[in-house]
Amino acid sequence: MTSSQALADPFNQNITLDREFLALPLMQGIITDQHLIERDRIGRTLTFMARIVADGWAPESKAIAIDRETAVLVEASGRSTIVANADHPTPFAYFIRGGTPQVVAPNTPLTYLNLDVQRAQPGSTFNLGRWKGTGLTSYTLNVNAGVISSTQPDGSIY
């Protein structure tokens, strides 16, 4: 599933969500995605998040998305540390939170506003229970009729 396909139709037949995929207490209700920048997957991650809320699984959505050669090491307490290979050009983890999507319907481009993004670099820490961290870059993403925009000064969605 590509980002453009997911954003164009959040109920595309190729989107499958499973509530019991990762049954770990600290990960309940959190979508995970990988190869984020390398494969331009942010759109599909945001679509999955919208579906969690629209399908009634949770009142808000959360996601942890990482790029290749990056990991989020989670301790039993919920404290997490971001690690990555030193020579990887995009060694980031993204902690994303959203509320109720504005438009999530079959055959209709997604609209999902005010998604809070916290981008973590290697060495940063993040507490999953409090959904806060240190050493992070914070910004907002908006999806309007299937098009993603960012509040970052350079407009980057990553």
Side-chain angles (χ1 to χ4, degrees):
M1 173 59 49
T2 67
S3 284
S4 60
Q5 291 170 323
L7 292 168
D9 178 6
F11 288 86
N12 181 301
Q13 67 180 3
N14 293 321
I15 294 176
T16 303
L17 297 173
D18 185 344
R19 290 181 104 154
E20 304 302 323
F21 177 70
L22 192 58
L24 300 170
L26 291 171
M27 299 299 291
Q28 295 289 38
I30 299 174
I31 287 288
T32 59
D33 210 348
Q34 59 192 3
H35 301 281
L36 191 71
I37 297 171
E38 176 182 61
R39 297 185 185 164
D40 190 28
R41 289 185 167 168
I42 191 78
R44 80 181 207 159
T45 301
L46 302 179
T47 299
F48 296 160
M49 292 174 66
R51 284 285 307 274
I52 285 175
V53 177
D55 292 354
W57 293 9
E60 70 173 2
S61 61
K62 294 178 182 175
I64 301 171
I66 60 174
D67 208 22
R68 182 174 54 91
E69 300 180 27
T70 305
V72 176
L73 307 178
V74 181
E75 297 175 17
S77 67
R79 183 179 187 275
S80 306
T81 304
I82 290 68
V83 297
N85 285 339
D87 61 347
H88 188 60
T90 55
F92 305 112
Y94 297 79
F95 298 88
I96 310 168
R97 175 186 256 168
T100 303
Q102 287 65 33
V103 178
V104 57
N107 303 309
T108 305
L110 178 67
T111 296
Y112 199 8
L113 306 176
N114 300 314
L115 293 140
D116 175 53
V117 179
Q118 297 180 71
R119 183 181 69 209
Q121 61 188 20
S124 300
T125 60
F126 194 86
N127 185 294
L128 294 179
R130 294 194 323 254
W131 206 255
K132 293 184 187 259
T134 59
L136 310 175
T137 299
S138 298
Y139 58 98
T140 301
L141 290 177
N142 291 293
V143 181
N144 197 339
V147 177
I148 305 172
S149 62
S150 170
T151 61
Q152 290 199 86
D154 66 357
S156 171
I157 60 175
Y158 292 106

